[in-house]
């Protein structure tokens, strides 16, 4: 498995001012830089591609879906902004060589309400309508959309693999699948391996971090179960370490990160990379109950 690092580990937003991340992550030993597109206007596609090529790095794209990018909004203008934003991310993805645009693109992060069945059905219908059109555009550009279930504190809509598969089925486009994130799975799934097996070939992308959203291998995630299940379903994509820094107050507040999760961000990335490289290089088949002892 190729291992990548999210730009969110260090910076926000990504721009020409942060292109030195390409050299940093390659020097650390990563294969991929995941570019988080908060504002497409800050992404210089040509210069970003040049930096990636210079350091022989692959790329993936992850979106940021706030209140004005809500694909299931009752407001058609906001749904239109969500669609336009996804299209902009697709353009960036194509330009820098990412095969995928990933993220919780069905709603606004932080939107949490108790809805009756009629209101929830309408939310489903609006999200499906918006994402079908976005998927058609992405497909024309050769890009896949990876939909990310989030935990219950960040969305009231898609929390589990089962719900994610339902949404993918309703969208019914060959280039649409799932992004699985071990942090969210730790909260919402009863069994990591069973959820991964259930997702199967619909898994397009994987985010890897601990139960506290920190360094892989330092917490409660059953990494052996995750690894073995991904192998079982023949997942061929990358594993991206996604973490955040308290130095960027807006992002830290958005993800409820109130304290540093490592001595520094470089240590978080480097230690996580070492753990994941060892994990996925180890060919032993270990019973999931064995935990993280490699």
């Amino acid at each position: 498995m190729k291992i990548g690092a999210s730009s969110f580990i260090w910076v926000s937003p990504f721009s020409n001012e942060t292109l030195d991340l390409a050299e940093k992550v390659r020097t650390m030993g990563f294969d991929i830089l995941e570019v988080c597109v908060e504002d497409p206007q800050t992404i210089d596609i040509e210069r970003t591609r040049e930096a990636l090529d210079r350091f022989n790095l692959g790329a993936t794209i992850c979106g940021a879906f706030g209140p004005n990018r809500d694909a299931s909004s009752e407001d058609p203008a906001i749904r239109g902004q969500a669609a336009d934003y996804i299209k902009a991310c697709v353009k960036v993805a194509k330009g820098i060589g990412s095969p995928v645009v990933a993220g919780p693109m069905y709603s606004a992060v932080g939107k949490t309400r108790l809805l009756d069945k009629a209101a929830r059905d309408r939310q489903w219908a609006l999200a499906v309508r918006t994402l079908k059109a976005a998927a058609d555009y992405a497909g024309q550009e050769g890009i896949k959309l990876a939909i990310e279930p989030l935990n219950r504190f960040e969305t009231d809509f898609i929390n589990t693999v089962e719900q994610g598969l339902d949404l993918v089925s309703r969208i019914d486009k060959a280039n649409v699948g799932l992004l699985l994130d071990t942090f969210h799975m730790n909260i919402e799934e009863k069994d990591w391996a069973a959820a991964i097996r259930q997702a199967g070939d619909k898994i397009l992308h994987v985010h890897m971090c601990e139960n506290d959203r920190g360094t892989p291998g330092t917490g409660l995630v059953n990494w052996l179960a995750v690894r073995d299940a991904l192998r079982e379903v023949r997942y061929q994509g990358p594993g991206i370490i996604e973490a955040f820094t308290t130095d960027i107050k807006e992002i830290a507040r958005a993800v409820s990160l109130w304290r540093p999760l490592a001595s520094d961000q470089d240590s978080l990335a480097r230690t996580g990379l070492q753990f994941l490289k060892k994990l996925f290089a180890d060919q032993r088949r270990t019973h999931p109950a064995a935990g993280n002892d490699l």
Side-chain angles (χ1 to χ4, degrees), residues 135 144 171-177 202 204:
K144 297 178 180 180
I171 296 168
D172 193 25
K173 301 292 182 181
N175 64 320
V176 177
K202 295 300 183 183
L204 300 181

Side-chain angles (χ1 to χ4, degrees), residues 122-283:
R122 178 162 174 77
Q123 183 183 26
W124 276 91
L126 292 172
V128 169
R129 184 191 308 169
T130 306
L131 295 179
K132 273 182 178 286
D136 284 339
Y137 176 84
Q140 292 167 10
E141 300 299 323
I143 303 297
K144 297 178 180 180
L145 301 183
I147 295 171
E148 180 181 21
L150 299 182
N151 71 77
R152 68 192 67 188
F153 306 108
E154 296 185 31
T155 185
D156 60 12
F157 195 179
I158 305 297
N159 302 128
T160 65
V161 162
E162 182 177 11
Q163 291 173 312
L165 288 172
D166 189 358
L167 182 57
V168 168
S169 176
R170 296 189 198 200
I171 296 168
D172 193 25
K173 301 292 182 181
N175 64 320
V176 177
L178 294 179
L179 156 60
L180 300 189
D181 184 308
T182 55
F183 168 74
H184 300 298
M185 293 178 73
N186 177 69
I187 297 172
E188 297 297 341
E189 304 292 351
K190 295 183 183 298
D191 184 322
W192 283 280
I196 291 168
R197 289 195 297 268
Q198 183 180 16
D201 62 4
K202 295 300 183 183
I203 306 172
L204 300 181
H205 201 53
V206 176
H207 278 171
M208 295 182 168
C209 58
E210 265 305 339
N211 62 287
D212 63 353
R213 221 162 199 165
T215 310
T218 62
L220 301 177
V221 172
N222 189 331
W223 291 103
L224 293 174
V226 170
R227 179 201 67 186
D228 289 351
L230 288 172
R231 286 177 176 170
E232 186 176 335
V233 301
R234 294 180 171 83
Y235 174 68
Q236 299 298 312
I240 306 295
I241 299 177
E242 184 191 52
F244 305 91
T245 171
T246 54
D247 291 339
I248 303 168
K249 303 306 181 186
E250 183 177 352
I251 297 298
R253 189 177 298 110
V255 300
S256 300
L257 184 65
W258 312 123
R259 56 187 169 78
L261 298 179
S263 57
D264 58 79
Q265 297 305 103
D266 286 1
S267 295
L268 186 157
R270 189 177 293 110
T271 302
L273 174 63
Q274 292 169 352
F275 172 79
L276 292 175
K277 278 190 169 182
K278 182 178 180 182
L279 176 73
F280 285 96
D282 190 340
Q283 297 300 315

